[in-house]
Amino acid sequence: MRRIPLWLKLGVAAWAAVYVPAYLAHYGALPFLWFCNLGNLMLVAGIWLESALLVSMVGLSVLVVDTLWTVDVLGRLLLSRHLIGGTGYMWDAEIPLWIRLISLFHVVNPVLLVFLLRRLGYDRRALPAQTLLCWIVLPVCYFLTPPALNLNWAFGLFGRTQSWMPGGLYLLATMAGYVALLYAPTHLLLRAWMRPAQKEPGSASSC
């Protein structure tokens, strides 16, 4: 039985067919290491596969972040100030308007994720799975990408390179921080709010 409507699957496929080439052409491949962009690719796959695990991992990664992104953009629009920070690029005239408009996926994602999690349930294996993914991606960002990109804030918070502690120690703190401050609280919220995902036959019990 299909749990996700076909129109939604076709819609996200069409959107990805625009979003991926546009971002590749403008930004190149490296920015797809941002957890928000990586999450988009995982979300498209999760929708087509109807995978509660993939959708739940994306929920841990971006549900809170995209909500805060939306609050920051609304603050700039309504109050002429950034309440949190991190969305200043949306007013950067050097970035084509159509590229900035594509970034409005941050506004749609929280609503879409809640809808999907209510359909598929929350898979509690998402916490260890997303933690493992994070602990792979962050060292890749730190060791293999230019510090100027500061992907996933691997070199400093809010896009600024930090200098108050050794870089390696900051990387470890960031790896721990994503789990302790973002993934674990969101995991507890989704466990309490969403029904559990149905286990596949033979799957081990989750925490």
Side-chain angles (χ1 to χ4, degrees), residues 2-186:
R2 181 183 296 141
R3 293 175 291 173
I4 298 176
L6 181 60
W7 64 262
L8 180 56
K9 293 182 177 183
L10 295 175
V12 297
W15 174 80
V18 174
Y19 153 74
V20 173
Y23 265 42
L24 282 173
H26 185 76
Y27 293 116
L30 287 181
F32 278 92
L33 288 171
W34 277 107
F35 288 127
C36 59
N37 291 324
L38 188 59
N40 283 337
L41 302 180
M42 294 169 60
L43 192 56
V44 172
I47 288 172
W48 272 94
L49 297 174
E50 300 195 358
S51 169
L53 177 58
L54 285 175
V55 171
S56 299
M57 290 172 66
V58 178
L60 293 186
S61 180
V62 306
L63 183 58
V64 171
V65 173
D66 281 355
T67 300
L68 294 176
W69 190 98
T70 302
V71 169
D72 196 62
V73 165
L74 289 176
R76 177 64 173 79
L77 286 173
L78 301 177
L79 304 174
S80 298
R81 56 184 296 228
H82 292 284
L83 302 177
I84 301 167
T87 66
Y89 70 94
M90 291 294 289
W91 281 263
D92 185 350
E94 294 186 0
I95 301 175
L97 177 60
W98 62 281
I99 290 289
R100 285 178 277 158
L101 290 176
I102 290 176
S103 287
L104 292 176
F105 68 76
H106 292 281
V107 177
V108 176
N109 273 351
V111 177
L112 178 59
L113 282 166
V114 170
F115 170 80
L116 293 171
L117 288 168
R118 289 179 66 86
R119 284 293 183 101
L120 301 175
Y122 175 64
D123 193 324
R124 297 178 180 182
R125 298 173 298 170
L127 180 59
Q130 181 60 31
T131 297
L132 177 61
L133 179 63
C134 173
W135 288 357
I136 292 172
V137 171
L138 279 177
V140 169
C141 293
Y142 184 80
F143 290 109
L144 300 180
T145 68
L149 292 179
N150 198 9
L151 298 176
N152 297 311
W153 296 350
F155 295 91
L157 296 175
F158 295 98
R160 300 178 180 178
T161 302
Q162 67 85 31
S163 59
W164 50 278
M165 70 167 62
L169 183 59
Y170 171 81
L171 173 63
L172 292 175
T174 303
M175 293 169 67
Y178 269 98
V179 178
L181 302 178
L182 180 59
Y183 300 161
T186 308

